[in-house]
Amino acid sequence: VKRNASTLEVDNDKVYIEGSHEWWMAKGAYEASLEEYGGGGDACTVDDYQELVLQFSFVTLFGVAFPLTGLLALVSNIVEIYIDSYKLCHNMRRPLAQRVSSIPDTWLKILKIVTLICIVTNIVIVFTNSDVVSEQLSVEKDTSEMWLYAFLFEHIIIVFILLFWAAIPSEPKGITQLKNLSKKIQRSVLISNSHNLQT
């Protein structure tokens, strides 16, 4: 099968003009013969989420040790967008569209845990490898006083992040109000329809 801008060639002998009934049938048969993306269903997104969470983990956990990690991850993601789009458009069967409101809760919890762990790792990396911190705090390196400062800074940042998560809702207030209004309208329509059916 060869695809062109306006034609579809099957088995080197039949060429269908784009938009014709035969073209659509041949295109459908061709796409149905392709391998299903990621095994199909919810399983196809697991590998994608896993890859992104691993990349996020490396960037946040060791970003202080190698600051270019974020830039390299950005470049990697831009390249991957083009590779995945080609793969989805040409080499794989199109996945069925599914409506989702956000990242699945499991992955969101994992990202939050990684965020909290990265605070600890970055504080430890900075306090063990940087002379600037010991100079600014006027303490000797690798002493209990320095580790007390590290413990304090770590907890201040963790408390700040937890307060930030608590203060910002996962859904804007206006959207929540619109959803509640929509549910009220649906209930009133259902009730009025049931009354009409009874009479």
Side-chain angles (χ1 to χ4, degrees), residues 18-132:
E18 182 177 2
S20 68
H21 177 71
E22 293 82 14
W23 183 83
W24 283 109
M25 295 302 289
K27 183 173 166 80
Y30 167 70
E31 288 186 3
S33 69
L34 293 174
E35 180 185 346
E36 200 167 2
Y37 176 68
D42 291 337
C44 68
T45 59
V46 170
D47 290 338
D48 294 333
Y49 276 121
Q50 182 180 6
E51 182 181 344
L52 290 172
V53 167
L54 276 172
Q55 188 181 56
F56 174 79
S57 301
F58 280 119
V59 169
T60 55
L61 290 170
F62 308 111
V64 172
F66 184 61
L68 282 178
T69 308
L71 181 64
L72 293 175
L74 176 67
V75 171
S76 167
N77 286 337
I78 290 170
V79 169
E80 189 170 349
I81 287 171
Y82 288 104
I83 291 171
D84 284 350
S85 66
Y86 182 83
K87 178 176 66 175
L88 284 169
C89 291
H90 299 285
N91 299 342
M92 298 273 184
R93 191 182 322 161
R94 281 186 257 170
L96 295 173
Q98 297 175 353
R99 176 177 279 181
V100 293
S101 60
S102 179
I103 297 173
D105 285 341
T106 307
W107 291 109
L108 198 57
K109 288 175 185 171
I110 291 170
L111 287 172
K112 286 184 175 184
I113 290 169
V114 167
T115 302
L116 295 175
I117 293 171
C118 86
I119 293 168
V120 176
T121 60
N122 284 316
I123 292 277
V124 168
I125 290 171
V126 167
F127 272 76
T128 55
N129 296 319
S130 175
D131 293 330
V132 176

Side-chain angles (χ1 to χ4, degrees), residues 156-168:
I156 289 170
I157 294 171
I158 287 175
V159 166
F160 176 75
I161 285 180
L162 293 174
L163 288 173
F164 183 76
W165 287 343
I168 296 178

